[in-house]
Amino acid sequence: MIKVLAIDDEPLALQQLVAYIKKIPFLELAGECQSAIEAKDILNQENIDAIFCDINMPDLNGMDFVKSLAAPPLVVFTTAYSEYAVEGFKVDAVDYLLKPFGLDDFRRAANRLQERLKTAAPATEEPTPALLSDNDSDDTIFVKTDYRVVKLAVSDIRYIEGMSEYLKIHLESQPKPIVTLLSMKKMEEYLPPYFMRIHRSYIINLKMIQEVNKNRVIMDSDTYLPIGDNYKEAFNEYLNTKFLGK
């Protein structure tokens, strides 16, 4: 299933968008928003694979909203203004739906979305995409992504996000995450002790935490990661070992 978010400031347009999403068997509606600000809060708290987003919205338009995200999900833009089409593809939009669009047009965009996710890591069975050097002091792993094998510094990893059978590896050194076909469990086996799983969908680099606020870990001003109930005790134990004062 592809977990998606519907965003449109017009209630009727949002209602239609939600109805179309529910008609596509491989799409799972994670939420519906009438502003980019509302959508950003959800993206900071949940693992979303893709968004269907209107462009012409008050406060923050859809195009600027996507550009503001450090690691945006896949996006399909919806708008009544055709002049946005070229700009939409400049931000690597999967598709562009010109209002008013019908179910056939929406299904086409959804199929393109599905194909993009499949080709992000096209291997048909899970290889061994992460390999540590025989030298335990080596800080590098290798992962397969987009038909390539890339070398990553483990200390450069900020956090790892699980999305279905794929992982997004978010790095300190670049804004775009590395997408690879790998399970969270397998990834945990290759990581040093300063990484901890805090949620079924998130492993974080403990050295890069900026703040802990209630049930969220704040990695930076745009990244708020939830702490899952099953992981809260172990995380609190870690905090207690580092806590100074009463």
Side-chain angles (χ1 to χ4, degrees):
M1 296 288 286
I2 302 173
K3 198 171 181 180
V4 302
L5 198 61
I7 310 166
D8 199 306
D9 66 303
E10 299 177 4
L12 290 179
L14 182 60
Q15 182 179 347
Q16 182 188 54
L17 186 57
V18 167
Y20 284 164
I21 289 172
K22 291 180 178 179
K23 289 180 183 292
I24 307 299
F26 55 82
L27 296 184
E28 175 189 349
L29 181 65
E32 48 190 279
C33 308
Q34 288 188 257
S35 74
I37 305 300
E38 182 183 353
K40 197 165 189 176
D41 288 339
I42 294 177
L43 288 171
N44 283 334
Q45 297 176 36
E46 294 190 38
N47 181 28
I48 304 297
D49 298 316
I51 59 175
F52 290 85
C53 184
D54 185 30
I55 293 179
N56 192 28
M57 296 188 293
D59 298 327
L60 181 63
N61 72 50
M63 197 72 66
D64 291 337
F65 165 58
V66 172
K67 290 177 181 178
S68 74
L69 298 175
L74 296 180
V75 58
V76 174
F77 283 120
T78 66
T79 186
Y81 301 93
S82 59
E83 62 266 25
Y84 284 116
V86 173
E87 189 178 354
F89 286 109
K90 284 182 180 179
V91 296
D92 197 28
V94 174
D95 207 348
Y96 177 94
L97 290 169
L98 185 62
K99 296 178 181 179
F101 53 86
L103 180 57
D104 287 342
D105 293 327
F106 183 85
R107 184 178 288 110
R108 181 202 71 223
N111 288 336
R112 287 184 177 177
L113 198 61
Q114 187 181 48
E115 287 303 310
R116 178 73 72 88
L117 279 173
K118 285 180 179 179
T119 56
T124 57
E125 61 182 52
E126 185 173 309
T128 305
L131 298 173
L132 285 176
S133 168
D134 290 336
N135 181 355
D136 289 340
S137 64
D138 196 354
D139 182 47
T140 59
I141 58 174
F142 292 86
V143 298
K144 286 186 177 180
T145 180
D146 295 333
Y147 301 98
R148 301 175 295 129
V149 175
V150 297
K151 181 179 179 181
L152 303 178
V154 176
S155 58
D156 190 39
I157 299 173
R158 299 175 61 241
Y159 66 97
I160 297 154
E161 178 182 1
M163 54 176 206
S164 187
E165 66 266 39
Y166 303 118
L167 296 181
K168 281 184 179 179
I169 303 174
H170 297 264
L171 304 174
E172 181 74 7
S173 61
Q174 64 181 60
K176 188 175 181 180
I178 300 293
V179 179
T180 186
L181 181 64
L182 187 64
S183 68
M184 293 286 277
K185 183 178 179 180
K186 193 71 173 179
M187 189 68 183
E188 282 183 286
E189 295 175 4
Y190 286 100
L191 294 172
Y194 59 86
F195 283 85
M196 178 177 285
R197 192 166 182 175
I198 61 165
H199 187 274
R200 63 183 177 84
S201 298
Y202 295 104
I203 299 171
I204 63 169
N205 184 335
L206 296 169
K207 295 180 178 181
M208 295 193 181
I209 295 175
Q210 289 191 1
E211 186 178 332
V212 179
N213 189 334
K214 296 182 180 179
N215 291 323
R216 298 184 301 177
V217 172
I218 301 174
M219 305 300 288
D220 57 48
S221 59
D222 295 315
T223 308
Y224 295 71
L225 305 181
I227 304 170
D229 290 339
N230 293 335
Y231 305 90
K232 190 177 300 182
E233 183 177 352
F235 183 68
N236 285 338
E237 287 180 1
Y238 163 77
L239 288 182
N240 287 335
T241 66
K242 302 293 183 180
F243 188 76
L244 298 180
K246 297 182 180 179

